[in-house]
Amino acid sequence: MKALEVFKIKDVELRNRIVMPPMCMYSSDDSGIVKDFHRLHYGARAFGGTGLVIQEATAVESRGRISDKDLGIWSDEHIDGLKELVDMVKGYGAASGIQLAHAGRKCAVSDEDIIGPSSLPYDDQYAVPREMTLNDIKEIVQSFKKAAERALNAGYDLLEIHGAHGYLIHEFLSPLTNKRTDQYGGNLHNRVRLLSEVIDAVKEVWPETKPLILRVSASDYTEGGIDADMICGITDLVKDRLDMIHVSSGGLVPAEMELYPGYQVRFAERIKKECNVPTIAVGLIDDLQMVEFILGSEKADLVALGREILRNPNWVLNNLHRKGIKYRYPEQYFRAYR
């Protein structure tokens, strides 16, 4: 069974190919520090058999939070709590990843300095962002670098840079939200510049032996925005410094999206095959047969189940039990899987 195959990426070995993708939980407080909820939430998914657990978008700056209840990694004070999460996830057999994020214009914390590549709000419910200066951009790059160093100190196996869902890096990548006329705007190379600088800065502190991956939105679902052709162009400019692309879509601007099981898999397949880079597929996937089809037909290398793993922390164990497949069930629960 493909889903059960061990998968190695750099020096990190995953016990299977099932991923819990980052999903915002909004369960901290203004401090951004880990709470009991996070320990239970992430520990349960590791205990339930997931191969790789990637922690929710974790803010590299306080002004980079989506909400005032986001987890943070902008201070050394966050490290101890994050290390507890890492130790718990790894202790139950999963690899532990973290998504480093900056919300940009989608920061909804009212007392923060809301910034973006251009002074364009997401919609009339959001504040108009201040267009970033070159000094702001330098600060952001350093914030990602410092966050990566803290993630290393906390012991994470894998680092994911959030370049999707309408947050800051995505805002720079898309011509819909980046109207700059300097070296960070205009043509594709310029719009990728911030992402490229973030990758380079992170790699100064993140070991070559540990995976560095990127989350992307492969379509803005709006004319003039990122589409499948453009995301391949973006990927080609940075793939030599990354180990995998985690492929989602949408989130940049209000847009109509046709949702169905596996609706984003086609993007992961195209990036994998045209850009020759490993990918993670995601998108309302909840069925083991679909997971097997995606992996067996080489549309992606790993499969992420978001909502389904929220509903069912033991998705891996339960599906394998129903198939009559013996797996490494937790000793405490073994009687339930005889």
Side-chain angles (χ1 to χ4, degrees), residues 296-317:
S297 55
E298 298 186 346
K299 296 180 183 299
D301 299 272
L302 302 174
V303 177
L305 290 76
R307 290 170 175 82
E308 183 60 18
I309 285 183
L310 286 185
R311 289 187 289 263
N312 183 0
N314 295 332
W315 186 90
V316 172
L317 297 182

Side-chain angles (χ1 to χ4, degrees), residues 82-287:
L82 295 172
K83 187 177 188 305
E84 289 182 33
L85 293 187
V86 172
D87 291 345
M88 184 172 293
V89 168
K90 293 166 73 168
Y92 289 131
S96 181
I98 183 172
Q99 184 185 72
L100 301 185
H102 196 294
R105 70 175 188 166
K106 291 180 80 173
C107 172
V109 185
S110 59
D111 60 348
E112 290 289 359
D113 176 25
I114 311 300
I115 57 175
S118 304
S119 294
L120 300 170
Y122 176 76
D123 62 20
D124 58 10
Q125 301 300 310
Y126 281 80
V128 177
R130 175 176 63 80
E131 182 171 313
M132 293 168 63
T133 65
L134 295 180
N135 190 59
D136 290 327
I137 292 172
K138 290 178 182 178
E139 290 178 359
I140 293 295
V141 171
Q142 290 305 303
S143 293
F144 272 94
K145 178 180 177 179
K146 292 174 184 176
E149 192 164 23
R150 294 184 185 108
L152 179 63
N153 290 336
Y156 287 96
D157 297 308
L158 175 147
L159 204 63
E160 178 172 286
I161 296 171
H162 200 353
H165 299 160
Y167 301 121
L168 186 66
I169 290 175
H170 186 185
E171 293 164 20
F172 270 85
L173 293 175
S174 177
L176 294 177
T177 44
N178 185 343
K179 304 298 183 182
R180 301 178 71 93
T181 58
D182 62 8
Q183 64 266 42
Y184 291 92
N187 63 48
L188 185 65
H189 281 80
N190 283 357
R191 298 198 313 275
V192 173
R193 192 180 304 276
L194 171 63
L195 170 59
S196 183
E197 290 179 356
V198 166
I199 292 170
D200 286 344
V202 164
K203 287 178 73 68
E204 290 177 14
V205 295
W206 189 249
E208 279 296 324
T209 55
K210 293 193 174 194
L212 176 63
I213 74 175
L214 172 67
R215 190 84 187 264
V216 299
S217 279
S219 176
D220 292 333
Y221 298 104
T222 301
E223 186 176 355
I226 291 174
D227 59 14
D229 290 334
M230 191 181 296
I231 201 63
C232 285
I234 291 168
T235 300
D236 281 338
L237 290 174
V238 296
K239 66 183 182 183
D240 61 322
R241 290 166 284 162
L242 297 168
D243 301 297
M244 182 170 276
I245 306 294
H246 190 173
V247 188
S248 187
S249 64
L252 183 78
V253 294
E256 292 293 326
M257 300 167 60
E258 183 182 358
L259 305 180
Y260 53 87
Y263 72 102
Q264 297 173 137
V265 173
R266 67 188 190 275
F267 298 129
E269 180 180 20
R270 182 164 177 185
I271 290 171
K272 173 179 170 61
K273 292 180 178 177
E274 291 192 14
C275 301
N276 193 30
V277 60
T279 59
I280 304 175
V282 66
L284 300 181
I285 301 164
D286 61 6
D287 179 73

